[in-house]
């Protein structure tokens, strides 16, 4: 089985442009996303919850990235848990975290992290191209 890009570069460009239009300060999250990959899927997923109340535009950027990852992995035959969760619903947060740990075996976790790493690398690349330019 060979590498399939699954259009990650195009997806990343779209994510960056949407974030830039919504709130150009959100683009700084791109670098944080790439760094967060090293901490695993649960921590990456949970970051949108941390930002949900205080910085909703940034939260949206993280969540849209997770949603894009889910879509890509589905094409690869991997179902990524992606329950809608509000930070105030502790039971739902815990349930989603447990799904991430329990529903993906080690091989699928590794594939998901590899794809997320590549997606975030693409996001950083596009961020470097668009950061500081006008919203047009």
């Amino acid at each position: 089985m060979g590498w399939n890009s699954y259009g990650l570069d195009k997806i990343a460009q779209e994510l960056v442009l949407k974030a830039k239009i919504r709130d150009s300060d959100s683009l700084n999250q791109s670098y944080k996303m790439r760094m967060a990959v090293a901490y695993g899927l649960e921590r990456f997923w949970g970051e949108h919850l941390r930002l949900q109340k205080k910085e909703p535009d940034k939260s949206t950027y993280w969540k849209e990235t997770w949603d894009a990852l889910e879509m890509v992995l589905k094409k690869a035959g991997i179902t990524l848990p992606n329950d809608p969760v509000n930070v105030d619903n502790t039971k739902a947060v815990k349930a989603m975290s447990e799904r991430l740990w329990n529903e993906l075996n080690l091989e699928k976790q590794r594939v998901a992290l590899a794809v997320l790493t590549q997606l975030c690398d693409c996001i950083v690349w596009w961020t470097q191209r668009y950061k500081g330019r006008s919203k047009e």
Side-chain angles (χ1 to χ4, degrees):
M1 180 198 289
W3 172 255
N4 185 334
S5 75
Y6 293 102
L8 293 178
D9 197 50
K10 184 176 188 299
I11 293 166
Q13 181 186 30
E14 291 169 0
L15 287 166
V16 170
L17 288 173
K18 281 173 61 177
K20 182 176 174 65
I21 290 167
R22 187 173 42 247
D23 171 29
S24 62
D25 287 341
S26 293
L27 293 183
N28 290 330
Q29 296 300 301
S30 301
Y31 306 99
K32 293 175 183 178
M33 285 181 197
R34 179 57 184 90
M35 289 174 44
V37 172
Y39 295 104
L41 294 172
E42 183 191 8
R43 290 189 185 182
F44 188 97
W45 168 80
E47 191 62 13
H48 86 279
L49 296 176
R50 186 183 73 79
L51 297 166
Q52 216 171 52
K53 288 182 177 181
K54 202 167 71 172
E55 299 179 276
D57 289 331
K58 293 175 182 177
S59 174
T60 298
Y61 191 22
W62 281 83
K63 181 63 168 86
E64 287 175 348
T65 301
W66 185 264
D67 293 345
L69 176 65
E70 176 194 25
M71 179 193 68
V72 170
L73 291 176
K74 185 180 275 186
K75 291 179 189 176
I78 296 173
T79 301
L80 183 70
N82 192 11
D83 301 337
V85 175
N86 184 294
V87 70
D88 293 326
N89 186 341
T90 305
K91 277 186 167 181
V93 170
K94 184 176 180 185
M96 177 60 185
S97 295
E98 287 176 5
R99 286 190 66 204
L100 285 169
W101 285 105
N102 298 326
E103 292 182 20
L104 295 174
N105 64 31
L106 187 57
E107 181 182 343
K108 289 180 181 178
Q109 288 177 23
R110 287 178 178 162
V111 170
L113 283 170
V115 172
L116 181 57
T117 299
Q118 186 61 38
L119 177 60
C120 288
D121 284 349
C122 293
I123 287 172
V124 167
W125 193 90
W126 284 111
T127 296
Q128 291 170 341
R129 298 314 171 275
Y130 293 132
K131 198 171 179 185
R133 295 184 184 167
S134 68
K135 291 184 180 182
E136 297 175 13

